[in-house]
Amino acid sequence: MKWVTQLLLTGSVAIDDVKFAIISLVGESLLAWDKSSITIRGERNMFLSVEFHPFRLPSPGLWLDIFQKIKAMGFLACESGHIKNSGVYNLEGFFDAAKRAGIYLLARPGPYINSEVSGGGFPGWLQRNKGVLRATAPDFRGVLQITFGTLEESSAKQKLRRAFTFCLESGTTSVGACVDKSYMQWIEREFRFAEITVPFINNDGVPTGNFVPGSGPGEVDIYGFDFYPFGWASLKFRSISLPSSPIAAVEFQGGTGGVGVETAAALINHEFARVFYKINYGLHTAIMNLYMTYGGTNWGNIGHPLGYTSYDMGAAISEDRQLVREKYSELKLQANYLRSSPAYLTASPQGDM
């Protein structure tokens, strides 16, 4: 699918307990979803996405190169976290490069994005706040309202309105404030007040069903989860009931850190992709975003204290933007197979795995 230009989102409605995002282009509805997949222009799509952070490649002239390599791989979209929107981090160029390459965007707007950045994306001075972060504490909400106010004044807001969907970070019951339903509901409401009307998808820290559609306050439009096979014992997400949205692995392992670049590339290699991504397909995953597919570099003090300068992570596209790893070719094989096999999206897996 090519990037559809001049899209203006007009809102979302509920029909038969299935939420649809309505994108208006000369009165034509373009985007919808059900329990099987997303649909664009009436055509079902396997939403294969990659993770790419512009602040880890702070040279806007190189963003198009990454997007074109993503497109050539056969992937449809890119997810990106944002920690700044000025200077070389200005999102205008990032959106324009995605449009030129024909890539949809899955926006993770922050201010908290995790992503092994310093403070998870929060500014250091926020440590002086007495209230619990990512909760309904008044002083923390006051800080976020400054962020939303900045968004209101930003020219990038119009392009954020055209992003495919927003990814909101959530967590597990052991994380506490990350699953504060009233906080999540407030965050969603503030984005709506800022005229960001794209559908919401969350990134559940462990796939246990937080904020699934129909669960009440803080519920999202499409349930998404975070999953790293090299760290969890079983694929728990298969047991989650998702009657109104497809299975969405919005952060699935595409690399690893802390072991050195070459070790990471050997560990999360083409054979890893052949095994674990195909397990996902066997479970009828219809939205999959790989973290990372291009990692880049931690410039200045962007990285968290336990990391190091390189954020290559052994991803399919190396830190110097080269295509020298067999994993890139393996991902291209998988993507093109799925694009040429539309029946996959309406098939049903035979039993749990």
Side-chain angles (χ1 to χ4, degrees), residues 329-344:
S329 299
E330 174 61 28
L331 291 175
K332 188 171 183 177
L333 283 173
Q334 293 184 18
N336 282 284
Y337 172 79
L338 290 165
R339 292 179 66 181
S340 62
S341 306
Y344 164 79

Side-chain angles (χ1 to χ4, degrees), residues 52-58 89 114-118 291-292 294-299 302-304 311:
F52 164 39
H53 301 152
F55 56 86
R56 284 185 163 121
L57 183 63
Y89 303 107
N114 196 342
S115 302
E116 285 80 54
V117 298
S118 179
Y291 189 104
M292 300 290 297
Y294 172 74
T297 307
N298 284 318
W299 300 93
I302 286 176
H304 75 130
Y311 202 68

Side-chain angles (χ1 to χ4, degrees), residues 133-305:
L133 303 185
R134 301 174 69 193
T136 55
D139 54 352
F140 179 61
R141 287 179 56 164
V143 169
L144 284 191
Q145 284 179 321
I146 295 174
T147 301
F148 290 126
T150 302
L151 177 61
E152 280 286 337
E153 299 170 0
S154 172
S155 60
K157 183 182 75 170
Q158 294 300 320
K159 295 187 178 182
L160 284 172
R161 291 174 65 182
R162 304 171 194 174
F164 172 77
T165 187
F166 260 30
C167 179
L168 303 177
E169 291 277 342
S170 61
T172 69
T173 53
S174 64
V175 182
C178 302
V179 290
D180 185 329
K181 291 184 177 181
S182 59
Y183 168 68
M184 189 71 155
Q185 185 178 40
W186 178 76
I187 286 287
E188 293 175 0
R189 186 171 63 247
E190 289 296 314
F191 275 120
R192 294 297 185 227
F193 287 160
E195 299 179 4
I196 304 299
T197 55
V198 289
F200 291 140
I201 184 170
N202 67 324
N203 180 22
D204 203 354
V206 177
T208 54
N210 294 302
F211 305 114
V212 296
S215 62
E219 66 179 281
V220 294
D221 298 298
I222 300 174
Y223 173 74
F225 59 85
D226 179 313
F227 197 83
Y228 286 69
F230 286 6
W232 301 107
S234 63
L235 298 178
K236 301 176 184 177
F237 69 84
R238 186 66 187 91
S239 62
I240 298 172
S241 176
L242 298 172
S244 64
S245 68
I247 293 179
V250 296
E251 187 178 324
F252 200 85
Q253 191 162 17
T256 190
V259 295
V261 172
E262 296 306 318
T263 300
L267 186 65
I268 314 297
N269 61 6
H270 58 287
E271 293 174 335
F272 174 94
R274 287 172 185 164
V275 173
F276 289 101
Y277 303 160
K278 290 181 180 180
I279 289 176
N280 283 355
Y281 309 145
L283 297 173
H284 196 249
T285 299
I287 298 174
M288 184 172 74
N289 177 67
L290 300 180
Y291 189 104
M292 300 290 297
T293 302
Y294 172 74
T297 307
N298 284 318
W299 300 93
N301 63 348
I302 286 176
H304 75 130

Side-chain angles (χ1 to χ4, degrees), residues 10 23 25 40 48 51 113 116 169 193 225 272 295 322:
T10 60
I23 298 183
L25 180 63
I40 305 175
L48 289 175
E51 189 91 12
I113 65 169
E116 285 80 54
E169 291 277 342
F193 287 160
F225 59 85
F272 174 94
Q322 298 299 304

Side-chain angles (χ1 to χ4, degrees), residues 8-15 18-24 28-34 38-41 161 163-165 192 197-200 221-222:
L8 294 178
L9 254 60
T10 60
S12 62
V13 296
I15 302 177
V18 179
K19 289 188 177 180
F20 293 85
I22 307 300
I23 298 183
S24 173
E28 181 183 6
S29 297
L30 299 180
L31 174 66
W33 66 90
D34 57 22
I38 64 164
T39 302
I40 305 175
R41 291 183 178 272
R161 291 174 65 182
F164 172 77
T165 187
R192 294 297 185 227
T197 55
V198 289
F200 291 140
D221 298 298
I222 300 174

